[in-house]
Amino acid sequence: MAGYLIDPSRAPVAFGRRAVPQLFEELQQPEADRRLRALASLCDLMHDPERIYQTVNGGFLEQLKVLFEDEDSSVRTKTCELLHLMTAHSIGRQALLSSSLLPSLSQLVDDSSSSCRRNVHRVLNRLTLLPAGADALLALVPKLMLKLRGEEDEEEEEEEVQVLLLSTLSSCSRLDALPALASDGVSLLGHKLSHRSPNIRREAAAVMMALSVCEDGKLKVCEESLLPVLVDLLHDEDIEVQANAAGVIMYTVIITTGKQQCLDLDVIPILLELVSKKEEEEEEKERKSRKALVMYSLRALTALAEAPDGRRLLLEQLPLLLRRSEAAEEDHDIRRDAQTAVRVINWRP
Amino acid sequence: MAFVSQSQRAPNESYTFASRPRPVENRSKYREPPSEQTHSNYGNIMYDRRVVRGNTYAQLIIPTTAQPDPVEAQRQQESRRRAIARKRAREQFISSTPEALQGRKHIDVQTELYLEELSDVIVATDVECQTDAFLDKPATPLFIPAKSGKDVETQIEEGELFDFDREVQPVLEVLVGKTIEQSLEEVMEEEELACLRAQQRAFEELRNNELAEVLRLQEQERRHSEEKGRRIAQQKEVLKKEKETAEKIAARAYTQQYLSDLLPAVFTSLRSHGYFYDPVEKDIENNFFPWLMAEVNNSLEKRYTARELLDTIIHDVTQKRLKMFKELETQ
């Protein structure tokens, strides 16, 4: 019983209720090796929601604070992975928020080991699933923007970190876009929009969409003349990228400047094409993303129809939209959007 | 002692004796046989002389003849005599002297003239005889008792005690079970997360949609209200301008009318104020008349001075007269 372990990379797990407390006691041992094994076993256990509940209620989270300052980087990485698993559930997220772990976690963003940084970003990303978490991270947004800027010249392996960063930023900005805008987010994201990886493009467009909800964001987008880039993105292969780009355009054309620029770029035919695309045999997920794309395009067209030039163009294309608004369309939302668009087009002052 | 026995001579002259088994009665050798029967029908078998003690495989089986062998009888008598002799010899040595006192011992002493060595050592001669050297005894044949009963043999074959496939099953089940359990948990967790995310995404899209609509409508409202405001302002401007123009016109008409009979009135008032004057007349008035008046004043003043002087003189005179009259009265 003494020395033989079935899996040498995991510590032995006690039975039933004793498992989690015993592993946490193991974490206080001086040898880094044993701590690593205990952390690996804990990671395995934390997939079960009951164990997470037990950990949170037993108040074991505070012990993890000590581990953040451990010298061994793999211990830090594993601790962050453990937190990542715990934040998969709402109680874990709430416990993390109410404990005092956030400041030390934010310091770990600058850690020397890249895998540790990646795990910290994963934790932050999961934390933003909770609105209170996004709220708490708003203070961290400038730092994250700096990180994003600093990573512009990194290689491929940091792509995941960038994607995580961007998705965290988009969740925070949905709550309140001001910090990101204040750190000059729009221009930074404009660079990212032309990245070669579709994931990054998608996330950057999502952040942009969140940023352009507020007035300043829209103005900035027009100022930085990002609309041509976005119109290019509408031709992208990845449907999510298209959807997000359509979303940004949808917000931007609400203001007059945006309308002008878009009409100059002759964006109406593209949007019409997107709306009227025939749905082939697609799976569930693709249909959902296509639905988003169609909705956003319809809204953009509605906004464009308020401008006289746009209305003129769209009056010619009216039958197309009418078809979409017929009862043949099974999706309620799309039908409603199409009807709104038709109504706006037919409006007379 | 009632014999319950049957003895009869078989036709082939072999004697058989059979009796019911019966415990032996103890009877002491020296006692007269008791008149009555002993109560106990049995005695202790350990002290029964008729029971053979010891090894039985080397004893001679007592022949079943009833007549004692004469040789046997003689031999028995001889042994009896020897036993008696031995006993007598032993009795001789039992002395009838009293025991020794404490601390003392009786010792046999010879009191004859010639001491003889009494010793128990009997002169003996050794005679040896030796058998031949042991011959090699041939090996005793293995004592194999006669075979009886059935032959049964058993042999444990190769796979009978321990069947790996069967034994390993529980271990494998546990291992595989635990692995699958863990992986199922992880897969379920991921599925749950994916479901959550999908739901969130759908919600976000709808929210974005509605938000866009809201913003658009807001913007539209804003534009409309701005437009309205502008138009209202424009209208106000227009109205104001109109009013101003009307006022201006009214003012102009009024002033014109007012000013129309201003001119003769002005001339009249000016003339009445003396602004239009005849210079000679003015000159006469300004220069001549003051001089004339001054001269007149002068001359009048002279006259007044004279009159005053006269008045003073008259006053003095009367005063003096009065004084004089008063003096006259008193005298």
Side-chain angles (χ1 to χ4, degrees):
Chain A
M1 204 58 116
Y4 178 61
L5 293 167
I6 297 179
D7 184 2
S9 69
R10 303 253 190 289
V13 174
F15 182 72
R17 238 175 11 144
R18 217 24 230 152
V20 170
Q22 194 244 349
L23 282 172
F24 268 101
E25 278 163 31
E26 184 90 5
L27 276 181
Q28 289 165 355
Q29 302 295 330
E31 304 105 12
D33 197 25
R34 286 174 71 173
R35 278 188 294 207
L36 200 58
R37 290 212 294 264
L39 280 171
S41 304
L42 271 173
C43 284
D44 275 341
L45 283 178
M46 284 302 148
H47 287 281
D48 189 5
E50 307 239 338
R51 301 270 190 215
I52 297 184
Y53 183 73
Q54 193 184 8
T55 316
V56 162
N57 274 20
F60 291 117
L61 274 185
E62 301 295 326
Q63 292 185 20
L64 291 178
K65 197 171 181 180
V66 178
L67 286 173
F68 277 144
E69 280 117 27
D70 202 283
E71 305 99 31
D72 192 2
S73 72
S74 47
V75 170
R76 291 198 295 262
T77 314
K78 268 283 180 211
T79 316
C80 292
E81 194 180 320
L82 183 66
L83 270 182
H84 166 71
L85 287 171
M86 282 183 62
T87 48
H89 285 269
S90 180
I91 20 169
R93 287 195 282 265
Q94 276 165 349
L96 183 59
L97 276 179
S98 58
S99 74
S100 56
L101 285 173
L102 272 181
S104 25
L105 196 63
S106 7
Q107 273 180 2
L108 271 184
V109 172
D110 296 318
D111 197 74
S112 50
S113 137
S114 71
S115 53
C116 186
R117 281 201 298 265
R118 196 175 324 158
N119 279 344
V120 171
H121 284 302
R122 281 201 193 118
V123 175
L124 290 176
N125 195 25
R126 281 246 178 111
L127 194 57
T128 55
L129 286 174
L130 195 62
D135 207 19
L137 284 182
L138 274 179
L140 210 53
V141 164
K143 192 168 180 185
L144 290 176
M145 298 287 300
L146 271 177
K147 268 276 158 191
L148 198 60
R149 202 186 307 265
E151 289 196 16
E152 270 185 12
D153 309 317
E154 297 288 336
E155 307 119 21
E156 296 266 337
E157 65 167 63
E158 301 289 341
E159 175 189 319
E160 194 191 340
V161 178
Q162 284 197 32
V163 172
L164 286 168
L165 261 178
L166 284 169
S167 122
T168 316
L169 279 171
S170 75
S171 308
C172 289
S173 305
R174 246 174 248 142
L175 214 60
D176 185 8
L178 289 177
L181 276 175
S183 0
D184 198 19
V186 177
S187 56
L188 184 57
L189 289 164
H191 286 296
K192 299 282 176 201
L193 279 176
S194 33
H195 205 269
R196 57 183 179 279
S197 149
N199 288 337
I200 293 194
R201 286 202 295 266
R202 183 188 71 222
E203 292 299 329
V207 183
M208 191 80 86
M209 192 158 71
L211 285 182
S212 56
V213 168
C214 79
E215 195 68 40
D216 296 330
K218 294 193 205 86
L219 283 170
K220 275 228 154 123
V221 167
C222 296
E223 275 169 31
E224 308 266 343
S225 54
L226 285 172
L227 281 166
V229 182
L230 288 167
V231 172
D232 277 334
L233 279 182
L234 280 178
H235 293 293
D236 201 280
E237 315 135 343
D238 189 18
I239 200 169
E240 307 241 351
V241 179
Q242 282 177 324
N244 285 345
V248 183
I249 294 185
M250 159 181 90
Y251 282 123
T252 320
V253 298
I254 291 180
I255 60 171
T256 327
T257 335
K259 281 203 246 274
Q260 286 299 324
Q261 287 193 6
C262 277
L263 284 171
D264 292 336
L265 290 167
D266 199 19
V267 81
I268 293 191
I270 308 178
L271 288 173
L272 280 170
E273 189 193 320
L274 283 173
V275 166
S276 64
K277 213 171 194 175
K278 201 78 165 96
E279 287 170 12
E280 301 105 28
E281 296 297 319
E282 284 165 349
E283 326 155 350
E284 199 59 39
K285 191 167 82 79
E286 281 199 26
R287 199 172 304 141
K288 286 206 179 70
S289 347
R290 178 158 288 287
K291 173 180 163 179
L293 181 59
V294 169
M295 281 202 301
Y296 293 161
S297 315
L298 279 171
R299 292 267 183 239
L301 284 172
T302 317
L304 280 172
E306 292 183 351
D309 302 327
R311 191 176 302 130
R312 206 173 337 125
L313 278 172
L314 282 171
L315 269 175
E316 300 156 16
Q317 306 288 339
L318 201 51
L320 201 114
L321 284 170
L322 272 177
R323 195 160 43 83
R324 268 284 170 154
S325 66
E326 285 306 305
E329 181 67 43
E330 62 269 359
D331 211 333
H332 265 298
D333 304 316
I334 296 189
R335 200 185 330 159
R336 213 177 44 204
D337 290 352
Q339 283 167 355
T340 321
V342 168
R343 199 172 55 230
V344 170
I345 294 178
N346 287 334
W347 178 77
R348 292 242 174 284
Chain B
M1 214 169 19
F3 279 87
V4 190
S5 60
Q6 291 130 17
S7 55
Q8 59 186 9
R9 271 192 207 275
N12 52 359
E13 293 195 322
S14 67
Y15 172 71
T16 58
F17 172 75
S19 79
R20 279 181 62 202
R22 168 174 89 242
V24 174
E25 293 171 358
N26 312 8
R27 222 177 334 146
S28 164
K29 207 155 63 163
Y30 301 112
R31 235 187 334 178
E32 300 221 336
S35 51
E36 78 271 327
Q37 227 174 350
T38 50
H39 289 291
S40 56
N41 278 338
Y42 57 88
N44 199 343
I45 202 171
M46 293 292 282
Y47 301 108
D48 197 349
R49 279 189 314 168
R50 290 176 290 174
V51 174
V52 171
R53 310 294 303 274
N55 293 333
T56 55
Y57 49 78
Q59 282 194 3
L60 290 176
I61 302 172
I62 297 174
T64 51
T65 54
Q67 293 173 7
D69 211 41
V71 180
E72 244 346 284
Q74 206 181 12
R75 224 180 285 150
Q76 276 180 17
Q77 275 176 14
E78 264 187 1
S79 67
R80 241 178 267 138
R81 253 181 255 136
R82 249 183 262 132
I84 290 168
R86 236 179 288 139
K87 204 183 216 172
R88 223 178 282 140
R90 220 184 302 134
E91 273 175 13
Q92 267 187 2
F93 282 116
I94 297 171
S95 64
S96 51
T97 54
E99 292 290 326
L101 291 175
Q102 214 174 22
R104 298 187 185 209
K105 208 162 71 164
H106 285 310
I107 291 190
D108 289 323
V109 170
Q110 290 183 16
T111 50
E112 290 168 348
L113 277 176
Y114 297 106
L115 292 175
E116 4 182 295
E117 187 189 31
L118 291 176
S119 64
D120 286 346
V121 178
I122 304 163
V123 173
T125 49
D126 284 326
V127 171
E128 261 186 34
C129 88
Q130 171 75 27
T131 54
D132 292 333
F134 281 123
L135 293 169
D136 273 339
K137 190 168 149 214
T140 19
L142 208 54
F143 175 64
I144 297 174
K147 182 174 145 183
S148 67
K150 268 172 70 168
D151 260 344
V152 176
E153 66 176 47
T154 175
Q155 165 80 356
I156 294 181
E157 300 292 336
E158 176 89 16
E160 282 188 14
L161 271 183
F162 177 73
D163 182 18
F164 178 73
D165 290 328
R166 233 182 33 199
E167 295 302 323
V168 91
Q169 213 170 348
V171 177
L172 258 184
E173 266 179 31
V174 168
L175 274 176
V176 171
K178 279 237 181 290
T179 319
I180 290 191
E181 201 183 305
Q182 181 77 11
S183 38
L184 264 179
E185 251 181 42
E186 294 190 15
V187 165
M188 274 198 318
E189 190 184 5
E190 275 175 36
E191 252 186 48
E192 197 182 323
L193 275 177
C195 269
L196 277 175
R197 260 198 214 281
Q199 211 179 18
Q200 262 184 349
R201 220 206 321 254
F203 170 72
E204 280 294 335
E205 281 162 15
L206 281 176
R207 178 177 173 266
N208 281 342
N209 214 23
E210 298 307 317
L211 195 60
E213 184 64 18
V214 161
L215 286 176
R216 184 187 69 83
L217 285 172
Q218 230 175 30
E219 184 68 27
Q220 199 183 36
E221 265 312 302
R222 197 186 60 88
R223 269 205 323 268
H224 283 179
S225 57
E226 246 186 55
E227 190 64 28
K228 244 191 279 190
R230 264 204 302 264
R231 290 214 183 148
I232 287 177
Q234 227 174 27
Q235 277 299 90
K236 268 207 192 115
E237 275 289 320
V238 162
L239 275 175
K240 208 169 82 168
K241 268 209 159 65
E242 262 179 36
K243 207 164 83 169
E244 237 182 77
T245 346
E247 269 181 12
K248 273 193 185 149
I249 291 175
R252 179 182 286 234
Y254 176 68
T255 35
Q256 261 183 354
Q257 189 216 359
Y258 183 66
L259 286 176
S260 64
D261 50 279
L262 186 63
L263 221 53
V266 164
F267 276 135
T268 324
S269 69
L270 272 180
R271 195 169 294 130
S272 67
H273 279 119
Y275 284 101
F276 296 123
Y277 59 84
D278 190 10
V280 173
E281 205 178 329
K282 190 86 184 245
D283 188 35
I284 291 176
E285 275 182 21
N286 283 349
N287 291 334
F288 180 64
F289 274 111
W291 173 79
L292 190 65
M293 294 301 289
E295 291 302 315
V296 165
N297 270 347
N298 278 344
S299 70
L300 278 180
E301 250 184 60
K302 280 185 195 148
R303 243 181 241 213
Y304 286 147
T305 319
R307 283 198 189 142
E308 251 185 59
L309 201 60
L310 192 63
D311 279 342
T312 319
I313 292 171
I314 294 174
H315 183 66
D316 273 341
V317 166
T318 41
Q319 287 289 343
K320 273 188 187 156
R321 257 196 212 173
L322 191 64
K323 215 165 43 172
M324 272 169 53
F325 279 132
K326 276 194 184 155
E327 278 177 5
L328 282 174
E329 271 181 33
T330 52
Q331 277 180 358

